Amino acid sequence: AVLGTNAVEIHHDRANTASSHIPQRLGFQMVRETSVGVAAPAESGIDCAWQITSAEWANEPRAVAATLRRSVR
């Protein structure tokens, strides 16, 4: 844990559905979608923000570790 860190966020473009699977598997919750404009042809221009608090992360260490091991394979 990083001392003083209350939460971690993961961001991705809404069109990148594969990227949404990572925070879902790790127990993150979708907290907001923000219009940011299109920077590349395949983007939607909508930023998806996922968040997990340090308390939530601490409560799920086995589930998170198992998910990370499966993702690396």
Side-chain angles (χ1 to χ4, degrees), residues 39-56:
E43 289 185 351
S44 69
I46 305 294
D47 177 72
C48 298
W50 298 76
Q51 185 180 80
I52 192 166
T53 66
S54 55
E56 291 166 335

Side-chain angles (χ1 to χ4, degrees), residues 25-41:
R25 289 180 185 158
L26 293 174
F28 284 63
Q29 300 296 315
M30 170 76 82
V31 292
R32 70 185 162 279
E33 292 185 335
T34 307
S35 178
V36 295
V38 175

Side-chain angles (χ1 to χ4, degrees), residues 1-46:
V2 177
L3 195 57
T5 301
N6 297 320
V8 172
E9 287 193 2
I10 295 175
H11 293 255
H12 66 87
D13 186 84
R14 187 193 301 169
N16 189 345
T17 56
S19 288
S20 70
H21 299 296
I22 295 166
Q24 288 174 15
R25 289 180 185 158
L26 293 174
F28 284 63
Q29 300 296 315
M30 170 76 82
V31 292
R32 70 185 162 279
E33 292 185 335
T34 307
S35 178
V36 295
V38 175
E43 289 185 351
S44 69
I46 305 294

